[in-house]
Amino acid sequence: MIANAAWDRAIGMLPDRMAAHLGVSAAAVGLALLIAVPVVLVMAGRPRLRAAVLTAAGVVQTVPALALLALFYPLLLALSALTERLAGFGVPALGFLPSMLALTLYALLPLLRGGADGLASVPPATLDAADGIGMTRGQRLLHVELPMAAPIIIGGLRTAAVWTIGAATLATTVGQKSLGDLIFAGLQLEDWALVVTGCLAAAALAIITDMALWRVETGIAARKWRKAGLGGALLAAMVAAVLALWWNARPPETAERPVVVGAKSFGEQYILAELIASRLREQGLAVTVRSGLGSAVAFRALTAGDIDLYVDYSGTLWSNALGRTDVAPRASMIATLRTELPRRHKVQVAAVLGFENAYALAMQRTDAERLGIASLADLARQSDRLRLATDTEFQSREEWAALQRAYGLRFARLTAYTPTLMVRALIGGEADVMTAFSSDGRIAADDLTLLTDPAGALPSYDAMLLIGPTRPDLARRLQALEGRIAVEAMRQANWQVDRATDKRTPEQAARWLAGRIAEK
Amino acid sequence: MAVTLEYERINISRGGRPVLVDIDLVLPAGGLVALTGASGAGKTTLLRITNRLLAPDSGRLLIDGADAANEPGPQLRRRIGYAAQGVGLFPHWTVGDNIAAVPWLNGMERQGRDRLVLEMLDLVELPQSFASRMPAALSGGQASRVGLARALAARPGLLLLDEPFAALDPETRNELADRIEALHKAQGLTTLLVTHDLADALTRATRILVLDGGRLVADATPAALVADPHPAVQALIASPLDQARRLVRLTE
């Protein structure tokens, strides 16, 4: 059973997210319509152009929506840099704009196809008659072709609307508020109330929109104007509700822009973001949290000023922000990042928090003690008799190659699992060793031992609080966090939100963690 | 007022292939002229040049002495009655709105159009109640009549009919042909009728034009054409005559 509190929290998030979701969907479909109408008119009677355009739109459609959204972010950053240089102002690269543009591209194909098929459905005899009685091209289009094609055109619009509302859940990954906020957070935290609420709300929006457009479509086809009008009125009411909610939620104009804390899409990030947000609030600042950011998006969002601060990990920054491929010792990695990030990206390291979230190999403590294994070097001597369970990613990662090089690990069997099943395989005795993240809450809860890495083969992933160029003053306010979060405390906090029973929200876990920091 | 048509050395080709070659022709006012020939002979092309749905590559067309190229196409076509091949009623408009299409394009008021629709329905012998029906509810013959009423609603002096009898059963076909003949006389029209069926042409027209490979190979009254057929016409005449003889034998 899911506790009532979980449902309350999920439903509390709904109105705001629903309005934003519908808003970005409506804007995308509206823009797609503005583009599709002239393109369809130009395509009419030009079969080659029509084939080329529909193929191009079809190719766009094959790009997964998630990738399309992620692609728009760097694209807009480049555009923003360009406009900044040419016109002196940048365009926002995170949130509404990239989401709307990517969804617009996505909505184009059904609109173009509906328009083209609709116009092609008008019989040649009818067109000939229209020309022959003396209609101009414009009159023929307006009075004959469009009304006759309307049902098929609106059919395309229905498909576009339903797809867009579905795909808009992914806008969360580029920092746009949407019903995806509930779904992404819910999946990461295994909070099924959030997931179910988000999914049902998105499905309901899609179904209601589809029904309204269906009334318009069949109303026009049967020339029942009342029915078509009712459908149109329902749509208009939905858009009006969104506008009203937005107007209400809009911050007062005099207020300063709140500090935006970013978080990637997993539990530890949600907890740290809430911890930081509450620290800043205690200092009298207005703060919002933008969670669920794609891993690739977060650092760019910081340098572009779309978020003001977030926590990232040294190993990730080492390769992504500095472009390094080598492995350096933990301390020198941190030192290099402290000097290079400000120089190359105008990003300050406010604090190194004190724990790592690194790849490691783990065993059940009882097994490790029985076999006398404490380090990866110990493991290497016996690995040919042991079975390794990995997550789905690990075997293709650089870390695995580095481990094999440094220790000559040769396992009797290698099996890839989803994270939950991987733990079950280890506890159930189907595997002897598994891959783990060092701050994972399950390490303490399931009585696991992390094997040490004496050769330093695995890169370190120290959690670092980064401050972007927009609010350099924040570094001073948060530098007290330096070295204050021990890995054991982080594991416990993570466990509170990850576990299946007696689950806490990230806010509650953050409050608990703040208490632990204060005790120290 | 019936219209005089003068075609002066009309040439047109499509994709390098000549479709009409040196058409020189005068059609005096008041004729019911059948334009016939095998498929691809250029019949429909000549019809479409007459209301400038197609422009010739060279040569010109004079309508009552004025060059048709000097008037904007849509405006010209509103003065010429046109019944498209396959009728082509607008399926989303009522029968009445279909009939009144050209007067509506010319800016006639609703009341005038309503009166005109009833009059045109009488003219093509359809019940006045049909005005509010949708085209989908009409039989093939009824739709053809509505198409005819639409062509005549703006009181043109010239009526162009593109295969008006195609896809109709013989009885309906005959009724419609009677109606066209009667309207042609009553309205004082010049009528140009495209048909691939020489029997229609022979029994209704005052004059028959036969096209073959884009050239005008025969231009005569029906009687003259039957009496002294051009070689290209013989084949066209042979089959209806043969059919007729077999029918006569059957009744004896």
Side-chain angles (χ1 to χ4, degrees), chain B residues 104-118:
Chain B
W104 171 73
L105 287 172
N106 286 333
M108 187 189 266
E109 303 270 319
R110 174 100 241 170
Q111 279 184 332
R113 295 202 315 264
D114 286 347
R115 229 177 304 122
L116 183 65
V117 166
L118 298 182

Side-chain angles (χ1 to χ4, degrees), chain A residues 302-363:
Chain A
L302 183 73
T303 55
D306 290 316
I307 59 176
D308 298 312
L309 69 165
Y310 82 110
V311 174
D312 211 330
Y313 304 92
S314 56
T316 311
L317 294 164
W318 188 251
S319 58
N320 291 358
L322 301 185
R324 301 277 292 255
T325 52
D326 55 327
V327 175
R330 185 174 177 182
S332 83
M333 214 175 200
I334 292 174
T336 308
L337 285 166
R338 276 195 195 273
T339 56
E340 287 296 301
L341 287 180
R343 202 173 63 77
R344 290 171 57 169
H345 298 287
K346 298 197 182 77
V347 166
Q348 307 174 62
V349 179
V352 178
L353 298 179
F355 73 93
E356 276 194 82
N357 184 355
Y359 258 118
L361 294 190
M363 297 179 73

Side-chain angles (χ1 to χ4, degrees), chain B residues 86 140-141 144 163-170 172-173 196:
Chain B
S144 293
E163 300 279 9
F165 309 118
L168 293 180
D169 62 78
T172 313
R173 185 182 175 111
H196 64 275

Side-chain angles (χ1 to χ4, degrees), chain A residues 386-390 395 400 404 411-416:
Chain A
L386 300 175
R387 298 155 301 170
L388 176 68
T390 72
Q395 291 174 39
W400 175 227
Q404 288 174 298
F411 285 94
R413 203 176 71 199
L414 273 174
T415 315

Side-chain angles (χ1 to χ4, degrees), chain A residues 169-222:
Chain A
T169 52
L170 302 171
T172 296
T173 55
V174 289
Q176 161 64 25
K177 235 190 251 174
S178 78
L179 289 169
D181 291 9
L182 282 79
I183 297 170
F184 276 85
L187 284 177
Q188 285 305 323
L189 304 172
E190 298 194 15
D191 181 338
W192 306 119
L194 277 179
V195 176
V196 168
T197 309
C199 289
L200 285 182
L205 277 187
I207 290 168
I208 293 171
T209 307
D210 189 48
M211 268 169 44
L213 285 170
W214 173 76
R215 294 189 82 86
V216 175
E217 176 187 329
T218 51
I220 289 179

Side-chain angles (χ1 to χ4, degrees), chain A residues 34-92:
Chain A
L34 284 182
I35 297 169
V37 168
V39 172
V40 163
L41 294 184
V42 170
M43 285 196 305
R46 294 186 178 83
R48 273 201 210 142
L49 179 69
R50 180 189 131 111
V53 170
L54 288 182
T55 306
V59 167
V60 170
Q61 209 71 51
T62 62
V63 178
L66 193 62
L68 202 63
L69 281 157
L71 277 176
F72 258 92
Y73 185 63
L75 218 68
L76 281 174
L77 276 183
L79 180 69
S80 186
L82 196 72
T83 56
E84 190 116 26
R85 192 135 45 87
L86 296 179
F89 65 89
V91 295

Side-chain angles (χ1 to χ4, degrees), chain B residues 96-133:
Chain B
D97 286 344
N98 265 285
I99 291 174
V102 183
W104 171 73
L105 287 172
N106 286 333
M108 187 189 266
E109 303 270 319
R110 174 100 241 170
Q111 279 184 332
R113 295 202 315 264
D114 286 347
R115 229 177 304 122
L116 183 65
V117 166
L118 298 182
E119 194 186 322
M120 297 314 294
L121 282 169
D122 287 346
L123 208 59
V124 296
E125 295 187 326
L126 286 174
Q128 294 192 344
S129 63
F130 272 42
S132 57
R133 289 204 184 177

